[in-house]
Short mmCIF file of all heavy atoms in Angstrom, two decimals:
data_model
loop_
_atom_site.label_atom_id
_atom_site.label_comp_id
_atom_site.label_asym_id
_atom_site.label_seq_id
_atom_site.Cartn_x
_atom_site.Cartn_y
_atom_site.Cartn_z
N ALA K 275 48.99 19.31 -8.13
CA ALA K 275 49.08 20.72 -8.38
C ALA K 275 48.51 21.52 -7.25
O ALA K 275 47.75 20.99 -6.41
CB ALA K 275 48.35 21.09 -9.69
N VAL K 276 48.82 22.82 -7.29
CA VAL K 276 48.03 23.78 -6.46
C VAL K 276 46.85 24.21 -7.32
O VAL K 276 47.02 24.56 -8.48
CB VAL K 276 48.93 24.99 -6.10
CG1 VAL K 276 48.06 26.06 -5.40
CG2 VAL K 276 50.09 24.61 -5.24
N TYR K 277 45.66 24.12 -6.71
CA TYR K 277 44.42 24.47 -7.41
C TYR K 277 43.94 25.82 -6.86
O TYR K 277 43.77 26.00 -5.68
CB TYR K 277 43.37 23.39 -7.19
CG TYR K 277 43.65 22.17 -8.01
CD1 TYR K 277 44.66 21.27 -7.67
CD2 TYR K 277 42.89 21.88 -9.16
CE1 TYR K 277 44.92 20.16 -8.41
CE2 TYR K 277 43.17 20.76 -9.93
CZ TYR K 277 44.18 19.90 -9.55
OH TYR K 277 44.46 18.79 -10.30
N TYR K 278 43.73 26.73 -7.82
CA TYR K 278 43.22 28.07 -7.49
C TYR K 278 41.81 28.23 -8.01
O TYR K 278 41.52 27.84 -9.15
CB TYR K 278 44.08 29.18 -8.15
CG TYR K 278 45.55 29.23 -7.73
CD1 TYR K 278 46.53 28.64 -8.53
CD2 TYR K 278 45.93 29.89 -6.57
CE1 TYR K 278 47.88 28.74 -8.16
CE2 TYR K 278 47.25 30.00 -6.19
CZ TYR K 278 48.21 29.41 -7.02
OH TYR K 278 49.54 29.51 -6.66
N CYS K 279 40.96 28.89 -7.24
CA CYS K 279 39.72 29.42 -7.77
C CYS K 279 39.96 30.84 -8.15
O CYS K 279 40.78 31.56 -7.48
CB CYS K 279 38.54 29.20 -6.83
SG CYS K 279 38.65 30.08 -5.24
N ALA K 280 39.31 31.33 -9.15
CA ALA K 280 39.56 32.68 -9.61
C ALA K 280 38.27 33.29 -10.17
O ALA K 280 37.46 32.64 -10.82
CB ALA K 280 40.64 32.67 -10.67
N ARG K 281 38.13 34.58 -9.91
CA ARG K 281 37.01 35.34 -10.42
C ARG K 281 37.44 36.32 -11.51
O ARG K 281 38.49 36.99 -11.35
CB ARG K 281 36.38 36.15 -9.31
CG ARG K 281 34.99 36.70 -9.58
CD ARG K 281 34.72 38.00 -8.88
NE ARG K 281 35.35 39.12 -9.52
CZ ARG K 281 35.21 40.41 -9.14
NH1 ARG K 281 34.47 40.66 -8.12
NH2 ARG K 281 35.81 41.35 -9.77
N PRO K 282 36.73 36.39 -12.59
CA PRO K 282 37.16 37.30 -13.65
C PRO K 282 36.92 38.76 -13.33
O PRO K 282 36.21 39.11 -12.41
CB PRO K 282 36.27 36.87 -14.85
CG PRO K 282 35.12 36.18 -14.26
CD PRO K 282 35.58 35.59 -12.96
N LEU K 283 37.57 39.59 -14.14
CA LEU K 283 37.47 41.06 -13.97
C LEU K 283 35.99 41.51 -14.16
O LEU K 283 35.48 42.24 -13.32
CB LEU K 283 38.37 41.72 -15.00
CG LEU K 283 38.37 43.24 -15.01
CD1 LEU K 283 38.96 43.79 -13.70
CD2 LEU K 283 39.23 43.71 -16.21
N GLY K 284 35.37 41.08 -15.27
CA GLY K 284 33.97 41.37 -15.47
C GLY K 284 33.15 40.13 -15.25
O GLY K 284 33.70 39.09 -15.01
N PHE K 285 31.87 40.23 -15.39
CA PHE K 285 30.96 39.14 -15.05
C PHE K 285 31.36 37.84 -15.77
O PHE K 285 31.29 36.79 -15.15
CB PHE K 285 29.53 39.53 -15.42
CG PHE K 285 28.97 40.66 -14.61
CD1 PHE K 285 28.12 41.59 -15.20
CD2 PHE K 285 29.30 40.80 -13.27
CE1 PHE K 285 27.66 42.67 -14.46
CE2 PHE K 285 28.84 41.89 -12.50
CZ PHE K 285 27.99 42.83 -13.13
N ASP K 286 31.68 37.93 -17.01
CA ASP K 286 32.11 36.70 -17.75
C ASP K 286 33.32 36.99 -18.64
O ASP K 286 33.51 36.34 -19.66
CB ASP K 286 30.96 36.11 -18.53
CG ASP K 286 30.52 37.03 -19.65
OD1 ASP K 286 30.98 38.20 -19.69
OD2 ASP K 286 29.71 36.57 -20.47
N SER K 287 34.10 37.93 -18.20
CA SER K 287 35.28 38.26 -19.00
C SER K 287 36.37 37.21 -18.81
O SER K 287 36.25 36.32 -17.97
CB SER K 287 35.85 39.65 -18.65
OG SER K 287 36.29 39.66 -17.28
N ALA K 288 37.40 37.31 -19.63
CA ALA K 288 38.43 36.24 -19.66
C ALA K 288 39.55 36.49 -18.68
O ALA K 288 40.25 35.56 -18.34
CB ALA K 288 38.99 36.11 -21.07
N GLU K 289 39.71 37.72 -18.23
CA GLU K 289 40.86 38.02 -17.36
C GLU K 289 40.49 37.75 -15.92
O GLU K 289 39.40 38.12 -15.43
CB GLU K 289 41.18 39.52 -17.50
CG GLU K 289 41.41 40.03 -18.86
CD GLU K 289 40.10 40.30 -19.59
OE1 GLU K 289 39.03 40.44 -18.91
OE2 GLU K 289 40.09 40.35 -20.81
N LEU K 290 41.43 37.09 -15.22
CA LEU K 290 41.13 36.63 -13.86
C LEU K 290 41.77 37.67 -12.86
O LEU K 290 42.96 37.68 -12.68
CB LEU K 290 41.72 35.24 -13.69
CG LEU K 290 41.20 34.23 -14.67
CD1 LEU K 290 41.80 32.83 -14.40
CD2 LEU K 290 39.67 34.14 -14.53
#
Side-chain angles (χ1 to χ4, degrees):
Chain K
V276 174
Y277 285 74
Y278 296 100
C279 62
R281 195 209 79 175
L283 179 65
F285 296 142
D286 65 352
S287 64
E289 308 81 17
L290 302 179

